[in-house]
Amino acid sequence: MQLGMIGLGRMGFNMARRLIDGGHSVVGYDRAPAQVDALRAASGAGAASVEDMVAQLDAPRAVWVMIPAGPPTTQQIEALAGMLSPGDIVIDGGNSNYRDSLRHAEMLKQRGLHFLDVGVSGGVWGYTEGFCMMAGGDPQVFATVEPILKTLAPEQGYRHVGPNGAGHFAKMVHNGIEYGMMQAYAEGFEVLRAKQEFGYDLHGLAELWRHGSVVRSWLLDLAADAFGKDADLAAIKGYVADSGEGRWTVQESIDLAVAAPVITLALQMRFLSRQDESFAAKVVAALRNEFGGHAVVKTGT
Amino acid sequence: MQLGMIGLGRMGFNMARRLIDGGHSVVGYDRAPAQVDALRAASGAGAASVEDMVAQLDAPRAVWVMIPAGPPTTQQIEALAGMLSPGDIVIDGGNSNYRDSLRHAEMLKQRGLHFLDVGVSGGVWGYTEGFCMMAGGDPQVFATVEPILKTLAPEQGYRHVGPNGAGHFAKMVHNGIEYGMMQAYAEGFEVLRAKQEFGYDLHGLAELWRHGSVVRSWLLDLAADAFGKDADLAAIKGYVADSGEGRWTVQESIDLAVAAPVITLALQMRFLSRQDESFAAKVVAALRNEFGGHAVVKTGT
Amino acid sequence: MQLGMIGLGRMGFNMARRLIDGGHSVVGYDRAPAQVDALRAASGAGAASVEDMVAQLDAPRAVWVMIPAGPPTTQQIEALAGMLSPGDIVIDGGNSNYRDSLRHAEMLKQRGLHFLDVGVSGGVWGYTEGFCMMAGGDPQVFATVEPILKTLAPEQGYRHVGPNGAGHFAKMVHNGIEYGMMQAYAEGFEVLRAKQEFGYDLHGLAELWRHGSVVRSWLLDLAADAFGKDADLAAIKGYVADSGEGRWTVQESIDLAVAAPVITLALQMRFLSRQDESFAAKVVAALRNEFGGHAVVKTGT
Amino acid sequence: MQLGMIGLGRMGFNMARRLIDGGHSVVGYDRAPAQVDALRAASGAGAASVEDMVAQLDAPRAVWVMIPAGPPTTQQIEALAGMLSPGDIVIDGGNSNYRDSLRHAEMLKQRGLHFLDVGVSGGVWGYTEGFCMMAGGDPQVFATVEPILKTLAPEQGYRHVGPNGAGHFAKMVHNGIEYGMMQAYAEGFEVLRAKQEFGYDLHGLAELWRHGSVVRSWLLDLAADAFGKDADLAAIKGYVADSGEGRWTVQESIDLAVAAPVITLALQMRFLSRQDESFAAKVVAALRNEFGGHAVVKTGT
């Protein structure tokens, strides 16, 4: 089928290519003209603007928005709302907060437009392996765009998971789980490394565990790759960014009064990784000095 | 090659069967005669006692101990030490604490006996999928029993990971990671379930994530199986035992002064799952009542 | 000086009494007429309505709002805004979220009204011991109502801590710290109690620590009181409510990318105290059963 | 009464002085002769060796050991055991692990000697404020040395808390609670500091909370002192040592299957404070790069 794609970055471009490979027709737009040219080179149709893209699509249209979550996505969806016709479908495949998606769905509905919030997992590997997709919205709208989802996903790798909002909420939790899993592996590898007398080969262990162990997973496959390239991760700084979903998972868990200590700690460890020095640690050091006369380490030493 | 197997329980019996299927000769002993009979029925050789098993093996012997860790394993290895001849090999495939394994290795060495500590992962699925094995000990001893390990493991699923102790230490950390991963999934599914307005089908989501998502793993495959059997886990009590390796991982991380918050919290959540009521919660409730006049919930209500 | 007091509940009534004892003139209103009568009996002036209260006050007026945070406080402040005259002062002494206070301050400012957000700590003990107060707002407005604060507080127990919002933010963090401290004591007492062979007398220990130990505190005084009344806290259920500030502290810490693991865990332990059974624990139990054949505990057993 | 004191360091010397001030007779020994001279200058009796000290004491003797816990204390108590006479009393006032104290008690008992394990809290402030003391051992032995404890402690600041081991176990838990409380304050102050737009004066807030707030405590008094000396703790490095009791509390909680997440996290935050970089954070950064193409921060940047 025919799809408009707004955003031809790392994710959007690979999705467009996979769709084209699968026989779909993609009209793509990106604010970077080079990305549009690249899509044309990959047998897609390029658009000079969102308006141009809309004009090139046959009604009822389906437009996939694949740009940074937050204000950029909201602004783009609001702009689209003014260009589309009743019955058209907007799909947000980005990492939007599900509360935004609930608002977008409501706003579009008031104009007779349909909305699907689709959480997409798979990262840079999606082009070859397929993207795992969690779709929230009306089941009939889902059915309309199912050919697209089927091509993008690996076998059984897409699903209608609930009403609007449910797609992005599920993706949010997925990423929260991912935080916890990554931290679990990370702690384990740090303990192994700290046990210096055993001289562990972390690459070898990661490879070994990939074969038949209880902790085998795709993330472990990636860990094995990473250790294979740089056995001690010497070139990588222990500085971990976070892109929102982990924070949201913790916040939602608090709103729901559900204890999620592992996901939360995984997030907080990222915060700590980004500090040169914890002020809290200074306070504790100062207190120990006050009551116990324990020597503090002076700054600059 | 020929192997003596002490302990024909769930794990030991399946290992013996897999070895026999692979053309090895297994002389098995279990204190439950029915298990020994079952091994005979599966084309293995049965022994009436450990002494009998030792007598049936040709020197240099290899004896695999696959019984509960702790005192039972220590006593069995000590007893074996008095029956074996210099050059024989003892393999401990159980979940022994690596500190025990260091002691066992030393004790056996003083009698001219060899020792391998082999951490085994794979659980009840090992017979069909192979057991993942981390071996600690002398590389030459490892080479001697490698044919056994090769048959037991899936392709690439066994490895020499370090000196004595390193096998069981690696398995301990493996299980610690497993605790963290399981808790990460568990928290995620609880958050999803608590978001009642989305009416999630947890079985469907677990199945979906198996296909192309970042959190796909063997544990997730099992989660999908579990939700497939009992969508709300209604028949399963939220009571989680622990068998030692998680505790040891936390204790070792403390000895090494490495922060392992996720693994630790996963363990502590298990403790909490086993309490009808937390005394700590009573104390907090009492304090709130004292300073704020906040009503406490009386027991029996 | 003269003060209007809206809300004569546990906190507001005690504050009014302490002010009257200190020579101030209080015009109080509460939607429960009995509370207004009680104030009259305590030498205060009663008002039949907020309008009546406003009418009884001389301009420039100072009105203290001491009612539940959230919508009730917001609605009350909005209503007040329509009754007061430029130059009047509204003081919110409740546990409002500081973001609400920022909005209230802005709304009032547009009408020429002043606002102070005053975090109040001290609970049911405030009448006798004084209330500790953290005030946010314009320093001149603070100076105007300082006679009130001075009477309410113990010696040195009130302070201007920053612009509007800063008072309630500081109180929020104060309560977050309180969560962490309470949980720290609670865990310690649970460990002591679990060490059954030592047969600890928790009341005795709490009393002992009050005298010269590093952990002496007012909360410990209260713990000693609680254990003194009910040595094993047998009558108190381990069910701990939370009234918002702990959640907000965690959420703000996440927004600020500051790790606050102890405050967070203290909150999450409260969530767990309120569950009969953790769904997460069910998931972990199910997974252990799937991979290890570990017996699960069936519900109903 | 008469007491031998082994160890005239920061703690032991102040205890000896307080006892002398209280009319007791102290014979002190320290391996640093200058400390012995200092005791003589403070009206105590000095000993040239432990043997000399024992010789100067009248039977039945009471000897207080106040030296570093672990091997030094064990060796000293074993040496003492060879010098003392049946009926003499050994008191360990150091921060010994209670398991050591159980062993020391048993060893001494076999020689007819008595043992008290006395947990001492109060730090450098004990000389003026008194030391809080938790004593484990035989009640009659406790009664014998009670005059000493009464002088050392503030009013009501000493107590017999259980059999041998119970004194040091209680002190261990006391310190675990202390870890949790310190971290709670530290997190709170870090959150306040991170809220830069409010420009908090942390010294002022700590002082304020000392007066009437729910979180007032002696540790808060010390925090106020620390901020008073160095408002931003600029001279103190966020590097926090740990001296054992926190680790032991966590380990004991695990042995007792009691969840102590706040005490545990407080300990783990100390571990993190001592790392220049967390290897776990490197692993997480590497994984994010592998699956998401998220840029890693290269070392050296």
Side-chain angles (χ1 to χ4, degrees):
Chain A
M1 62 179 281
Q2 193 191 41
L3 183 76
M5 174 72 73
I6 301 177
L8 300 169
R10 198 163 42 195
M11 291 290 284
F13 187 76
N14 280 334
M15 295 176 94
R17 277 205 299 158
R18 192 168 163 104
L19 287 170
I20 293 164
D21 293 352
H24 298 281
S25 157
V26 178
V27 185
Y29 168 74
D30 193 282
R31 51 183 197 170
Q35 291 302 103
V36 181
D37 290 343
L39 183 67
R40 287 195 187 99
S43 308
S49 64
V50 174
E51 289 83 350
D52 180 25
M53 186 201 73
V54 170
Q56 292 185 47
L57 296 168
D58 303 321
R61 301 173 189 86
V63 179
W64 190 293
V65 179
M66 203 68 198
I67 62 175
T73 290
T74 293
Q75 286 157 21
Q76 185 58 74
I77 291 176
E78 285 171 355
L80 262 179
M83 303 177 200
L84 297 176
S85 314
D88 288 353
I89 298 171
V90 176
I91 304 154
D92 178 7
N95 275 326
S96 296
N97 187 304
Y98 84 100
R99 295 178 189 266
D100 286 347
S101 297
L102 289 173
R103 276 192 293 271
H104 298 159
E106 184 57 30
M107 182 269 292
L108 292 167
K109 188 181 179 187
Q110 288 175 6
R111 295 169 178 253
L113 300 167
H114 302 299
F115 182 67
L116 280 187
D117 52 289
V118 179
V120 178
S121 179
V124 294
W125 297 79
Y127 173 61
T128 49
E129 305 209 358
F131 299 89
C132 178
M133 287 177 295
M134 306 138 235
D138 187 276
Q140 290 211 311
V141 177
F142 172 80
T144 305
V145 303
E146 192 166 357
I148 292 292
L149 301 174
K150 191 164 193 164
T151 299
L152 286 172
E155 187 88 23
Q156 301 185 58
Y158 70 97
R159 193 178 283 247
H160 178 255
V161 301
N164 273 134
H168 281 147
F169 190 94
K171 176 56 170 30
M172 174 195 81
V173 173
H174 165 281
N175 282 30
I177 293 170
E178 180 189 300
Y179 275 51
M181 291 174 69
M182 287 165 76
Q183 179 68 19
Y185 285 118
E187 292 176 7
F189 284 116
E190 180 164 1
V191 170
L192 289 167
R193 181 166 172 274
K195 193 69 178 174
Q196 295 180 357
E197 64 262 45
F198 287 155
Y200 285 115
D201 164 15
L202 299 186
H203 178 228
L205 264 175
E207 281 292 343
L208 171 57
W209 287 344
R210 296 179 59 212
H211 301 282
S213 90
V214 170
V215 301
R216 63 190 188 264
S217 73
W218 189 61
L219 281 167
L220 183 63
D221 297 347
L222 299 181
D225 287 349
F227 286 125
K229 294 173 197 164
D230 180 358
D232 206 41
L233 306 181
I236 291 176
K237 208 163 179 173
Y239 180 103
V240 190
D242 76 285
S243 51
E245 299 88 351
R247 297 179 181 217
W248 301 337
T249 307
V250 175
Q251 283 163 342
E252 293 300 322
S253 74
I254 291 173
D255 283 350
L256 295 165
V258 165
V262 155
I263 294 174
T264 306
L265 261 298
L267 174 67
Q268 292 178 328
M269 290 303 107
R270 293 191 178 194
F271 294 160
L272 283 169
S273 80
R274 278 140 44 189
Q275 287 185 325
D276 282 331
E277 186 174 39
S278 154
F279 186 71
K282 281 176 173 259
V283 174
V284 176
L287 286 174
R288 291 185 82 239
N289 177 247
E290 291 290 329
F291 72 71
H294 299 285
V296 295
V297 181
K298 299 289 180 182
T299 50
T301 60
Chain B
M1 63 179 281
Q2 193 191 40
L3 183 77
M5 174 72 74
I6 301 177
L8 299 170
R10 197 165 41 196
M11 290 291 283
F13 186 76
N14 279 334
M15 296 176 94
R17 278 206 298 159
R18 192 168 163 105
L19 287 170
I20 293 164
D21 293 352
H24 298 281
S25 158
V26 177
V27 183
Y29 169 74
D30 193 283
R31 53 185 196 170
Q35 291 302 103
V36 180
D37 290 343
L39 182 67
R40 287 196 187 99
S43 308
S49 65
V50 174
E51 289 83 350
D52 179 24
M53 186 202 72
V54 170
Q56 292 187 47
L57 295 170
D58 303 320
R61 300 173 189 86
V63 179
W64 190 292
V65 179
M66 204 67 198
I67 63 175
T73 289
T74 293
Q75 286 156 23
Q76 185 57 76
I77 290 177
E78 286 172 353
L80 262 179
M83 304 175 198
L84 297 175
S85 315
D88 288 354
I89 298 171
V90 176
I91 303 154
D92 178 6
N95 275 326
S96 296
N97 187 304
Y98 84 100
R99 294 178 189 265
D100 286 347
S101 297
L102 289 173
R103 275 191 294 271
H104 298 158
E106 183 58 28
M107 182 270 291
L108 293 167
K109 188 181 180 187
Q110 288 176 6
R111 294 170 178 254
L113 300 167
H114 302 300
F115 182 67
L116 280 186
D117 51 288
V118 178
V120 178
S121 181
V124 295
W125 297 80
Y127 173 60
T128 50
E129 305 210 0
F131 300 90
C132 178
M133 287 176 295
M134 306 137 236
D138 185 277
Q140 290 212 310
V141 177
F142 172 81
T144 304
V145 303
E146 192 166 357
I148 292 291
L149 300 174
K150 189 162 194 165
T151 299
L152 286 172
E155 187 89 21
Q156 302 186 57
Y158 70 97
R159 194 177 283 246
H160 178 256
V161 301
N164 273 135
H168 280 146
F169 189 94
K171 176 57 173 24
M172 174 195 83
V173 173
H174 165 280
N175 281 31
I177 292 171
E178 180 188 301
Y179 275 51
M181 291 174 69
M182 288 165 75
Q183 179 67 20
Y185 284 119
E187 292 176 6
F189 284 116
E190 180 163 1
V191 170
L192 289 166
R193 182 166 171 275
K195 192 71 179 173
Q196 296 180 356
E197 63 262 44
F198 287 154
Y200 285 115
D201 164 15
L202 299 186
H203 177 227
L205 265 176
E207 281 292 344
L208 171 57
W209 287 344
R210 294 179 60 213
H211 302 282
S213 91
V214 170
V215 302
R216 64 190 186 264
S217 73
W218 189 60
L219 281 166
L220 183 64
D221 297 347
L222 299 181
D225 287 351
F227 286 124
K229 293 173 195 163
D230 179 359
D232 206 40
L233 305 183
I236 291 177
K237 209 163 179 171
Y239 179 102
V240 190
D242 76 284
S243 51
E245 298 88 351
R247 299 180 181 215
W248 301 337
T249 307
V250 175
Q251 284 163 341
E252 293 300 324
S253 74
I254 291 173
D255 283 350
L256 294 166
V258 165
V262 156
I263 295 174
T264 306
L265 261 300
L267 173 67
Q268 292 177 330
M269 291 302 106
R270 293 189 177 195
F271 294 160
L272 283 169
S273 80
R274 276 135 53 183
Q275 287 185 326
D276 283 331
E277 186 175 39
S278 153
F279 186 71
K282 281 175 173 257
V283 175
V284 176
L287 286 174
R288 291 185 82 239
N289 178 248
E290 291 289 330
F291 73 71
H294 300 285
V296 295
V297 181
K298 299 288 181 183
T299 51
T301 60
Chain C
M1 64 180 279
Q2 193 190 41
L3 183 77
M5 173 74 72
I6 302 176
L8 299 169
R10 198 164 40 196
M11 290 291 284
F13 186 75
N14 280 333
M15 296 176 93
R17 277 206 298 159
R18 193 170 163 102
L19 287 170
I20 292 164
D21 293 353
H24 298 281
S25 156
V26 178
V27 184
Y29 168 74
D30 193 282
R31 53 183 196 173
Q35 292 302 103
V36 180
D37 290 343
L39 183 67
R40 286 195 188 99
S43 309
S49 65
V50 174
E51 288 83 349
D52 180 25
M53 185 201 73
V54 170
Q56 292 187 45
L57 296 169
D58 304 320
R61 301 174 188 85
V63 179
W64 190 292
V65 179
M66 203 68 198
I67 62 176
T73 290
T74 294
Q75 286 156 23
Q76 186 57 76
I77 291 177
E78 286 171 353
L80 262 180
M83 303 175 200
L84 297 176
S85 315
D88 287 353
I89 298 171
V90 176
I91 304 154
D92 178 6
N95 276 326
S96 296
N97 188 304
Y98 84 100
R99 295 178 190 265
D100 286 346
S101 298
L102 289 173
R103 275 191 295 271
H104 299 158
E106 183 58 29
M107 181 271 290
L108 293 167
K109 188 181 180 185
Q110 288 175 5
R111 294 171 177 253
L113 299 166
H114 302 299
F115 182 67
L116 280 187
D117 50 289
V118 178
V120 179
S121 180
V124 294
W125 297 80
Y127 173 60
T128 48
E129 305 211 358
F131 299 90
C132 177
M133 286 177 294
M134 306 139 236
D138 186 277
Q140 291 211 310
V141 177
F142 171 80
T144 304
V145 303
E146 192 167 357
I148 293 291
L149 301 175
K150 189 163 193 167
T151 299
L152 286 172
E155 186 89 21
Q156 302 187 54
Y158 70 97
R159 194 177 284 246
H160 179 256
V161 302
N164 272 135
H168 280 146
F169 190 94
K171 175 58 170 27
M172 174 195 81
V173 172
H174 165 281
N175 282 30
I177 293 171
E178 179 188 302
Y179 275 51
M181 290 174 68
M182 287 165 75
Q183 180 67 19
Y185 284 118
E187 293 176 6
F189 284 116
E190 181 163 1
V191 169
L192 289 167
R193 182 166 170 273
K195 192 70 179 174
Q196 295 179 357
E197 64 261 45
F198 287 154
Y200 284 115
D201 164 14
L202 299 187
H203 177 228
L205 265 175
E207 281 292 343
L208 171 58
W209 287 345
R210 295 178 60 212
H211 302 281
S213 92
V214 170
V215 301
R216 63 189 185 265
S217 72
W218 190 60
L219 282 167
L220 183 63
D221 297 346
L222 299 181
D225 287 349
F227 286 124
K229 293 173 196 162
D230 179 359
D232 206 40
L233 306 181
I236 292 176
K237 210 164 179 171
Y239 179 101
V240 191
D242 75 285
S243 50
E245 299 89 351
R247 298 180 181 217
W248 300 336
T249 306
V250 175
Q251 283 163 342
E252 293 299 324
S253 74
I254 291 174
D255 284 350
L256 293 166
V258 165
V262 156
I263 294 173
T264 306
L265 261 298
L267 174 68
Q268 293 178 328
M269 291 303 107
R270 293 189 178 195
F271 294 160
L272 283 168
S273 80
R274 277 136 50 185
Q275 288 186 323
D276 282 331
E277 187 175 39
S278 154
F279 187 71
K282 281 176 173 259
V283 174
V284 176
L287 286 174
R288 291 185 82 238
N289 178 248
E290 291 290 329
F291 73 72
H294 299 286
V296 294
V297 181
K298 299 289 180 181
T299 50
T301 61
Chain D
M1 64 180 278
Q2 192 190 43
L3 182 77
M5 173 72 73
I6 301 176
L8 300 170
R10 196 163 42 195
M11 291 290 283
F13 186 76
N14 280 333
M15 296 176 93
R17 277 206 298 159
R18 191 168 164 103
L19 287 170
I20 292 163
D21 293 352
H24 298 280
S25 156
V26 177
V27 184
Y29 168 74
D30 193 283
R31 51 183 197 172
Q35 292 302 104
V36 181
D37 290 343
L39 182 67
R40 286 195 187 101
S43 308
S49 65
V50 174
E51 289 84 349
D52 179 26
M53 184 201 73
V54 170
Q56 292 186 45
L57 296 169
D58 302 320
R61 302 173 188 86
V63 179
W64 191 292
V65 179
M66 204 66 199
I67 62 176
T73 289
T74 295
Q75 286 156 24
Q76 184 59 74
I77 291 176
E78 286 172 353
L80 262 180
M83 304 176 200
L84 297 176
S85 315
D88 288 352
I89 298 171
V90 175
I91 303 153
D92 178 5
N95 275 326
S96 296
N97 188 304
Y98 84 101
R99 295 178 190 266
D100 286 347
S101 297
L102 289 173
R103 276 191 294 272
H104 298 159
E106 184 58 29
M107 181 271 290
L108 292 167
K109 189 182 179 185
Q110 288 176 5
R111 295 171 177 253
L113 300 167
H114 301 300
F115 181 68
L116 280 187
D117 52 287
V118 179
V120 179
S121 181
V124 293
W125 298 80
Y127 173 61
T128 49
E129 306 210 357
F131 300 88
C132 178
M133 287 176 294
M134 306 139 236
D138 187 276
Q140 289 211 311
V141 177
F142 172 80
T144 305
V145 303
E146 192 165 356
I148 291 292
L149 300 174
K150 190 162 193 167
T151 298
L152 285 173
E155 187 89 21
Q156 302 185 59
Y158 70 96
R159 195 177 283 246
H160 178 255
V161 301
N164 273 134
H168 280 146
F169 190 94
K171 175 57 171 28
M172 174 195 81
V173 172
H174 165 281
N175 282 30
I177 292 170
E178 179 189 301
Y179 275 51
M181 291 174 67
M182 288 165 73
Q183 179 68 19
Y185 284 118
E187 292 176 6
F189 284 116
E190 181 164 0
V191 170
L192 289 167
R193 181 167 172 272
K195 193 70 177 172
Q196 295 178 357
E197 63 262 44
F198 288 154
Y200 285 115
D201 163 14
L202 299 186
H203 177 227
L205 266 175
E207 282 291 345
L208 172 57
W209 287 345
R210 295 178 60 211
H211 302 281
S213 91
V214 170
V215 302
R216 63 189 185 265
S217 73
W218 189 60
L219 281 166
L220 184 63
D221 298 345
L222 300 182
D225 287 349
F227 286 124
K229 294 173 196 163
D230 179 0
D232 206 40
L233 306 182
I236 292 177
K237 209 163 181 172
Y239 179 103
V240 191
D242 75 285
S243 50
E245 298 89 351
R247 299 179 180 217
W248 300 338
T249 307
V250 175
Q251 284 163 341
E252 292 300 322
S253 74
I254 292 174
D255 283 351
L256 294 165
V258 165
V262 155
I263 295 174
T264 305
L265 260 299
L267 174 68
Q268 293 178 329
M269 289 304 105
R270 294 190 177 194
F271 294 160
L272 283 168
S273 80
R274 276 137 50 186
Q275 288 185 325
D276 283 331
E277 187 174 39
S278 153
F279 186 71
K282 282 175 173 259
V283 174
V284 175
L287 286 174
R288 292 185 82 238
N289 178 248
E290 291 289 329
F291 73 71
H294 300 285
V296 294
V297 181
K298 300 288 182 184
T299 49
T301 60

